[in-house]
Amino acid sequence: MRMKNIHELSTRKQQVVDLLKSLETKNPAPAAYINPKKYIQHNLQVGPGPAGIAALIKNLPPDATVKTIRVFEDGDYVFTHNEYNFFGPKIGFDIFRFENDLIVEHWDNLQETASKQSPSGHTMIDGPTTASDLDQTEANKALMQRYMDDILAGRRETFPSYFNGNQYIQHNPWVADTIPGLIAGLQALAAKGQALVYKKVHKILGEGNFILVVSEATFGGVPTGIYDLFRIENGKIAEHWDTLEAIPPRNEWKNDNGKF
């Protein structure tokens, strides 16, 4: 199946890209893509509604930059993989939900950009950017649901069967390529008191061979949001990107909508 060209974005994808870019350009026009009466904000460091966004933009440094690396669409959801630079470089995923052609809800997860490449020489954002196998979206989402169900149930013996063997590419800055690299990296983190423990899956979104899993976890015992982006090839996980963000204590939230 022909791959989608980044320059052939759907209307909703383009609106999301433009809205994110407006954090850099301060262009007020993309704000019209938001339904001001229904907008629900899940970034816990941003106040509720359009006023929260306006305050965020006002407080951003003048040299803030936003670059969208990947953008995908699943029904009423558009999700992006972005490179940010405000208050330091960050990598993030953003999810927007549309209703009647306006954005009514937003979730995100940001992590400071790694200062060096992964053990296998990858960055947190390099690799393929466009979706293919568009007829396999639902099958690939179901595959990742089974994978996460097995992780949550502790069925470790099923783990290797989901991956594309020694061809597996890993973009987590602390973990090497291949299944042995993944296992060794997770064990090394646990040995340093930074064990990653999944608690609940909140969303699985996808377009073709790219699937985003939104989960609640603990990382070193700290409540954490983790967004995992997987590229599927021939029914196996071939590539992985992620971000981890600590969930602040309830008394520090700037809105009451929750992280997920």
Side-chain angles (χ1 to χ4, degrees):
M1 177 172 287
R2 187 176 72 89
M3 298 177 72
K4 284 190 173 181
N5 189 298
I6 194 71
H7 301 296
E8 299 174 6
L9 298 184
S10 71
T11 299
R12 286 180 171 181
K13 284 182 179 178
Q14 189 63 62
Q15 288 175 344
V16 164
V17 170
D18 291 346
L19 180 62
L20 289 168
K21 194 66 174 179
S22 72
L23 297 176
E24 172 186 324
T25 64
K26 312 301 188 288
N27 178 8
Y33 304 144
I34 295 172
N35 183 334
K37 297 179 180 179
K38 298 187 72 173
Y39 184 70
I40 302 168
Q41 174 66 262
H42 293 277
N43 182 319
L44 300 177
Q45 299 179 42
V46 178
I53 299 176
L56 170 66
I57 293 174
K58 182 179 179 180
N59 291 328
L60 287 177
D63 58 350
T65 60
V66 180
K67 181 179 181 182
T68 298
I69 309 299
R70 296 172 178 84
V71 56
F72 305 106
E73 188 169 359
D74 183 356
D76 286 331
Y77 293 89
V78 172
F79 57 100
T80 61
H81 196 189
N82 307 296
E83 184 176 22
Y84 294 107
N85 197 335
F86 46 79
F87 310 116
K90 297 174 178 66
I91 304 299
F93 291 98
D94 287 84
I95 301 171
F96 295 87
R97 182 173 67 86
F98 282 77
E99 192 176 282
N100 298 324
D101 294 323
L102 289 174
I103 294 168
V104 294
E105 200 160 7
H106 169 256
W107 301 258
D108 63 4
N109 210 59
L110 284 76
Q111 179 178 330
E112 288 187 11
T113 305
S115 59
K116 58 182 180 180
Q117 294 180 338
S118 75
S120 298
H122 306 298
T123 72
M124 294 177 68
I125 53 171
D126 61 1
T129 58
T130 52
S132 62
D133 303 327
L134 300 184
D135 58 336
Q136 295 298 308
T137 298
E138 293 308 315
N140 288 335
K141 286 167 67 175
L143 171 74
M144 297 317 304
Q145 181 69 66
R146 292 194 299 273
Y147 171 73
M148 295 307 301
D149 287 346
D150 282 346
I151 287 179
L152 290 170
R155 293 188 284 265
R156 296 183 180 183
E157 70 279 1
T158 69
F159 192 65
S161 68
Y162 286 98
F163 290 85
N164 192 8
N166 290 328
Q167 303 302 310
Y168 171 63
I169 300 169
Q170 173 64 257
H171 293 270
N172 182 295
W174 308 303
V175 180
D177 291 352
T178 75
I179 300 307
L182 174 60
I183 294 172
L186 292 174
Q187 289 175 340
L189 286 170
K192 294 192 296 183
Q194 294 179 299
L196 177 63
V197 180
Y198 286 88
K199 299 294 186 180
K200 183 178 181 180
V201 173
H202 287 269
K203 284 185 182 62
I204 297 181
L205 302 172
E207 182 180 349
N209 62 334
F210 281 90
I211 308 297
L212 180 68
V213 179
V214 175
S215 303
E216 190 171 351
T218 57
F219 184 55
V222 177
T224 297
I226 177 167
Y227 282 35
D228 292 289
L229 180 66
F230 299 93
R231 182 175 63 82
I232 312 300
E233 191 175 283
N234 299 321
K236 302 283 186 179
I237 299 170
E239 197 160 3
H240 169 258
W241 302 257
D242 64 0
T243 60
L244 292 86
E245 183 176 19
I247 301 172
R250 180 68 181 79
N251 62 353
E252 295 180 12
W253 295 6
K254 293 187 178 180
N255 64 68
D256 296 323
N257 300 317
K259 173 75 173 176
F260 302 101

